[in-house]
Each structure stands twice: as structure tokens, then as C-alpha cells.
Amino acid sequence: MMTARRRVVATAAAVLSGALLLASCGDSDSGGSDGKTLKLWHYEGPDSAMGVAWNAAIKEFEKTHPGVKVEFEEKGFEQIQKTAPMVLNSDDAPDLMEYNKGNATAGLLSKQGLLTDLSAEAAKRGWDKKLSSGVRTTSQYDTNGVMGSGKWYGIPNYAEYTMVFYNKDLFKKYGIQEPTTFDELTAAMDKFVDEGITPLANAGAEYMAGQYLYQLALSKADRAWVDSYQLYKGKTDFHDAAWTYGAETFADWVKKGYISKKSSGTKAEDAGVSFIQGKSPILFSGSWWYGRFAAENTFDWGTFLWPDSDMTAGSGGNLWVVPKGAKNKELAYDFIDITMSKKIQNLLGNKGGVPVAADPAGITDPQAKALIANFNTLSERDGLAFYPDWPVPGFYDVLVSETQKLITGSAKPEAYLDAVQEAYQKGAPKT
């Protein structure tokens, strides 16, 4: 569901970056710095667009910083999600770290005083000019840790959004056309069920199931609904038409066989592998899978935006954050700067990522062009709806466990909506 989850796939998220801040900028509380090592953590798979681009950035960094080594550690998304507050309060904090964006994650850490304020660097280095308004929403947090305004605590160097990935060979084998409407999508899934095939790859134990349900709700929602839910700009009622439709339709899809009841314990990696192996004809998830599918799929495949919906989950990518206790902040700022350069941005785009500051003429791969074009379509219609677990701390685990109950049939949609309403209200700012 999530946060990009979402990023929660083996190939999932993003890694951090840094750059040389002149000591005059006053953020040089880097006691113990030797100036010779940049300690970097991220959780992006090596074959993903971000993993490839950031490996290139590491080489570029070491070339432009003679005598400085990048000490890179690949972490798991869930690992960082669960241990970040503890690690950032210790002497083991990295200099630069990829971290999930949103109120419940980066916002919470900023509120707890664990992240460095990057506002001066963003202005000085022009990062603020390179990020569109929709993408920069997740970079800034107010004193309550709510995104959209306030100080800069993170820099994304890519964007992301969810889409339908589909196996063209399987569609062709069973005489099914690419869906262009929601009715055609459900008709296609009915045909696969008739053939004994479960159409949707799903991961009930992680973010993916929640993203299916959120997308169904979003198909009945608009920007005001999203702003109420994500930014607390209005009242959120989980028993409204959109959320009710999402929960009831998701439960119905399990009954119809679109989603396997056995997927309640499945991880995102399992769902992705099921698609890669040609077992699942359809997978709805994020652009963070794109590079891996391009590298590993052995069949003809394609993507399309969720039909008949203006909104879909998406945002700027995970953030480069600089822990408050980082020992080499100047190096961290320099690394971030390199990941925002045209060279690295173009590489990221051509490898299946969604760059935020690429040269359009530098993107030559046809599939990559289509991926970026669909993102631009979403951006132009203000269609990025962030991720369902973002609004309140701890919501990710609630959404996963409650959605699992819909898959197993141990809870009805009404009970699901009651449970998430209670958790949301408990965590949302009191007005």
C-alpha cells in the first residue's frame, strides 16, 4: 500500500545523496567527520533504474572527490521503515539515506528532530527549481510533520506512479484485447478466470493489496478527497462512497477469483516474480518495478494507466535524507547534487525510471519514453494521489493486516472501514 511502497519490493526504492555544503552554511555539526568517507544507505535493487543510476553516481562522486570513498550498504525497505528512528538516534547513522516520503515516515522523523533541514542547500543548489510542485510536496514538512509546506527535509531525484503491467503474450494467447475501459478490464479478468488463471498478481502481506483497494477508491475520488485524506484539509469518512466502493469491490474481486485467497501471506517480491515467470497476466503496482521487468521479462509486455480514473497512487520518489547526526553532511549534499545532474537523470530515465530533471532529448529508449509520457499525463491532470498508508504513523501495518482479512474473508468490508477509520482518527492531528 504503500509507501511506496512502496517500495517494498526487492527492487524497490531509492537511495540517498549528498553534496558539499560550504561550512559557511552553518550545518557543519559533523563531529567525528574524517571527510574521507560517505556512508550511504538505500534499498534499491541493483537492476532497478534507480540502482543503476545511483551506482553511476557513486562512480562519478568518487571521480570528482579524490581520496573519498563511498561506503554503501543496501538495506531492505521494511528494515529501514522499522528501525530508522532508533538508528538515527545512534552513532551508527549514515551520512545519506533513502527514506520513504510522507507524513508517517519522513514527516515523523522531521518532527522528531532526526533529519537535517535542507532548505538552504535546496535553494543554493537549485534543487527547488528542478522539482515540480506535485513532486516537491513530499520534500517539505511543517512543524507537525505534515507534508506540503515548511522546511525541506528530503530531496527526490525521481518520481513514481502506479500502473497496470500486463503480459501481452497471455492476452494474445486467450484472445483478449488490451483494456481501455474499466468494464473491459473486468471482462478480461473474467475470461482469465474462465481459463483457470488468477488474473491479478497480489501481495497481501505487504503494500500491494492495499494499493489495489486504494486505486478502486481513487476511481471514485477527486483532488479534494485526496487532500482531505492526505493533508487533513477536510474530514475523511471511510464510509463515504469512494472508500465503501473500494472495500466492497476488492472483497468482491476475491470472491470472483481475480485475486487469490492464498495471496494473503504473499510478499511483493513473490507477486513480482509471479508476473516475471508468466504466471500472472496482470500486476498493478509502481514504476519502481519497471526496470526489473525490462531486464527479466522474457515475454512481450506493456503498461497502461488504470482505466476510467483521473487519480492514481504516485508522488515524487523516496527521499534522500541527511540524518541530523550525519558526520559528513557536506559530502552527502554533493552526492545528492550528482544524482540531480542531467547525466544521471538521463541514465535513470533510459533505464526505466521517471526522472525529475532529465533532458527530454536525452531519453532515447521507446519504452522509457512511454513511461515518462504517462507520468506527464498524470501530472498534467493533477492525478498523483500519494500512497494510502501515508497520513498517519503506523498506518501501513494497519492497512496490511485489515486488507489481509478481506482476502481471507475473516472480515467484511464494513468491519475493514471501521478499523481503518479508528486507526486514522487516532493518528491524525487533532483539530
Side-chain angles (χ1 to χ4, degrees):
M1 332 216 33
M2 319 238 128
T3 178
R5 13 165 216 192
R6 128 207 139 129
R7 306 174 114 193
V8 145
V9 166
T11 144
V15 55
L16 267 49
S17 65
L20 207 318
L21 200 211
L22 303 188
S24 62
C25 273
D27 208 335
S28 56
D29 51 310
S30 45
S33 164
D34 60 5
K36 296 293 183 187
T37 308
L38 173 68
K39 191 174 177 183
L40 169 67
W41 290 1
H42 74 80
Y43 41 88
E44 183 59 53
D47 290 334
S48 69
M50 284 71 76
V52 170
W54 293 332
N55 281 336
I58 289 172
K59 289 177 183 164
E60 184 76 12
F61 177 88
E62 291 183 337
K63 189 168 78 178
T64 55
H65 294 70
V68 179
K69 293 297 293 179
V70 176
E71 192 179 286
F72 164 60
E73 293 182 38
E74 184 177 348
K75 302 288 183 178
F77 172 86
E78 298 278 350
Q79 180 185 11
I80 287 183
Q81 178 96 337
K82 287 181 167 53
T83 63
M86 185 174 63
V87 170
L88 298 191
N89 254 327
S90 73
D91 290 336
D92 296 326
D95 300 308
L96 183 61
M97 181 174 94
E98 172 190 12
Y99 198 60
N100 213 352
K101 63 273 177 207
N103 303 337
T105 45
L108 181 62
L109 293 192
S110 71
K111 184 181 175 183
Q112 292 171 338
L114 296 174
L115 302 181
T116 300
D117 175 5
L118 302 176
S119 304
E121 283 305 300
K124 176 183 168 186
R125 295 172 179 269
W127 302 334
D128 55 348
K129 305 285 194 302
K130 290 184 176 182
L131 300 176
S132 67
S133 58
V135 169
R136 66 189 281 176
T137 299
T138 56
S139 294
Q140 296 174 270
Y141 297 86
D142 66 16
T143 53
N144 291 316
V146 177
M147 64 185 180
S149 65
K151 295 177 179 177
W152 289 70
Y153 286 103
I155 306 294
N157 75 327
Y158 70 101
E160 60 188 34
Y161 66 98
T162 51
M163 69 198 83
V164 180
F165 295 89
Y166 72 110
N167 184 323
K168 290 186 175 183
D169 287 352
L170 279 179
F171 272 68
K172 188 175 179 183
K173 178 179 177 180
Y174 294 105
I176 303 170
Q177 297 296 311
E178 176 190 327
T180 57
T181 66
F182 184 73
D183 286 345
E184 288 175 2
L185 175 61
T186 54
M189 293 194 291
D190 283 331
K191 286 186 183 177
F192 280 119
V193 170
D194 289 344
E195 296 289 346
I197 296 168
T198 302
L200 298 177
N202 181 49
E206 288 182 343
Y207 63 91
M208 204 174 281
Q211 286 183 349
Y212 277 111
L213 195 155
Y214 187 51
Q215 181 58 60
L216 288 165
L218 286 174
S219 69
K220 305 295 184 184
D222 58 15
R223 173 54 60 190
W225 184 94
V226 172
D227 285 350
S228 291
Y229 176 58
Q230 297 280 0
L231 305 177
Y232 319 120
K233 290 185 177 178
K235 188 174 183 298
T236 290
D237 175 9
F238 283 87
H239 292 276
D240 66 11
W243 280 114
T244 300
Y245 172 80
E248 289 181 348
T249 304
F250 183 88
D252 186 51
W253 280 14
V254 175
K255 285 180 190 160
K256 286 181 172 174
Y258 299 172
I259 292 170
S260 169
K261 288 182 179 175
K262 295 178 183 175
S263 68
S264 64
T266 305
K267 301 286 184 97
E269 172 71 5
D270 303 321
V273 168
S274 172
F275 183 73
I276 290 167
Q277 292 177 342
K279 295 175 181 174
S280 300
I282 301 168
L283 179 144
F284 174 72
S285 194
S287 49
W288 52 90
W289 284 105
Y290 205 98
R292 183 163 175 201
F293 289 164
E296 297 184 28
N297 288 354
T298 56
F299 49 84
D300 191 15
W301 61 284
T303 66
F304 54 88
L305 294 174
W306 191 273
D308 297 335
S309 180
D310 287 339
M311 314 293 294
T312 199
S315 68
N318 285 328
L319 303 171
W320 289 132
V321 298
V322 178
K324 189 71 176 171
K327 296 181 174 66
N328 291 288
K329 294 184 180 183
E330 296 84 357
L331 297 178
Y333 304 145
D334 273 355
F335 187 86
I336 293 170
D337 214 37
I338 288 171
T339 67
M340 296 290 279
S341 68
K342 283 281 192 287
K343 178 179 179 181
I344 300 301
Q345 287 286 296
N346 289 352
L347 175 62
L348 193 154
N350 280 311
K351 291 297 182 181
V354 183
V356 294
D359 172 7
I363 308 299
T364 55
D365 179 81
Q367 271 191 317
K369 281 181 182 289
L371 176 75
I372 295 166
N374 276 341
F375 177 75
N376 291 339
T377 296
L378 279 174
S379 294
E380 284 159 15
R381 69 186 188 209
D382 194 21
L384 296 176
F386 312 122
Y387 292 89
D389 59 306
W390 280 14
V392 298
F395 209 35
Y396 177 89
D397 292 335
V398 173
L399 290 174
V400 169
S401 63
E402 295 302 325
T403 310
Q404 282 178 313
K405 293 174 187 174
L406 290 180
I407 297 171
T408 61
S410 62
K412 301 290 186 204
E414 184 78 9
Y416 168 90
L417 298 169
D418 287 342
V420 293
Q421 181 83 58
E422 182 183 353
Y424 180 88
Q425 287 177 184
K426 189 182 296 182
K430 302 298 180 277
T431 54

